[in-house]
Amino acid sequence: MIKRIILFLVLNFLALAIGGTFTGKGVPSDWYQNLDKAPWTPPGWVFGSAWTLIMVCFAIYMAYLIMRNANKKKIIILFFTQWILNVVWNPVFFYYQAVLLGFITILLLTTLITYFLFHYKNELKLKSLLIMPYFIWLIIATSLNGYILFFN
């Protein structure tokens, strides 16, 4: 179990590191700074703290899920789909400034995490709460992306 958690931690934080290379340059950019952002946009430090908690919880969640679910191939495909969507959003939004495509990407990611949450809740029972920070954060992040899309 510990090996699985470590594997998912490495993969999750790798995704954050790759995405962060685009976010780091994008946030202070004139383009992003001049956007009309949602009034509920959290301060910058919240993003790093939130993603750290999310990825630790998600790693534990995935370790339990892959251990308990017989269809490991499906779980791996879903995980890597999530991984790709998570990584791709950053360059799409910050580097290419493709707000609509970013919104579509984050909607797909939110849909996938919602699927994880509800589809496997009976299997994981209380451990399903481990994916809640990811789900809640994506609802917030989707609303932030949507606000930028509709008000800029």
Side-chain angles (χ1 to χ4, degrees):
M1 179 59 129
I2 296 297
K3 288 180 183 179
R4 285 185 182 99
I5 292 172
I6 291 170
L7 174 62
F8 283 112
L9 281 171
V10 168
L11 291 171
N12 289 348
F13 282 97
L14 178 61
L16 290 182
I18 294 168
T21 62
F22 294 95
T23 305
K25 295 173 185 168
V27 172
S29 70
D30 287 340
W31 171 77
Y32 183 73
Q33 291 301 315
N34 291 321
L35 290 173
D36 186 14
K37 293 179 234 20
W40 60 90
T41 302
W45 65 267
V46 172
F47 290 84
S49 302
W51 277 112
T52 299
L53 172 67
I54 288 162
M55 288 306 159
V56 169
C57 290
F58 190 52
I60 298 167
Y61 173 90
M62 287 303 303
Y64 277 113
L65 181 59
I66 203 147
M67 184 177 71
R68 293 195 176 165
N69 191 282
N71 194 345
K72 294 186 185 342
K73 183 177 180 182
K74 178 181 176 184
I75 300 301
I76 290 168
I77 290 169
L78 290 172
F79 173 80
F80 279 108
T81 302
Q82 169 277 148
W83 194 92
I84 291 166
L85 290 169
N86 194 332
V87 169
V88 164
W89 181 86
N90 292 285
V92 165
F93 186 84
F94 285 110
Y95 185 77
Y96 293 107
Q97 300 170 1
V99 178
L100 176 59
L101 186 55
F103 188 64
I104 293 167
T105 303
I106 203 164
L107 279 174
L108 290 170
L109 179 57
T110 303
T111 302
L112 183 53
I113 294 303
T114 303
Y115 176 82
F116 271 113
L117 175 63
F118 290 105
H119 187 75
Y120 298 110
K121 70 179 171 47
N122 292 335
E123 197 168 332
L124 292 180
K125 308 229 182 303
L126 197 55
K127 290 177 181 68
S128 288
L129 292 176
L130 289 164
I131 203 167
M132 285 302 290
Y134 202 174
F135 174 74
I136 292 166
W137 186 255
L138 284 175
I139 298 298
I140 295 166
T142 301
S143 74
L144 296 174
N145 194 150
Y147 188 95
I148 289 170
L149 175 64
F150 294 112
F151 292 97
N152 286 278

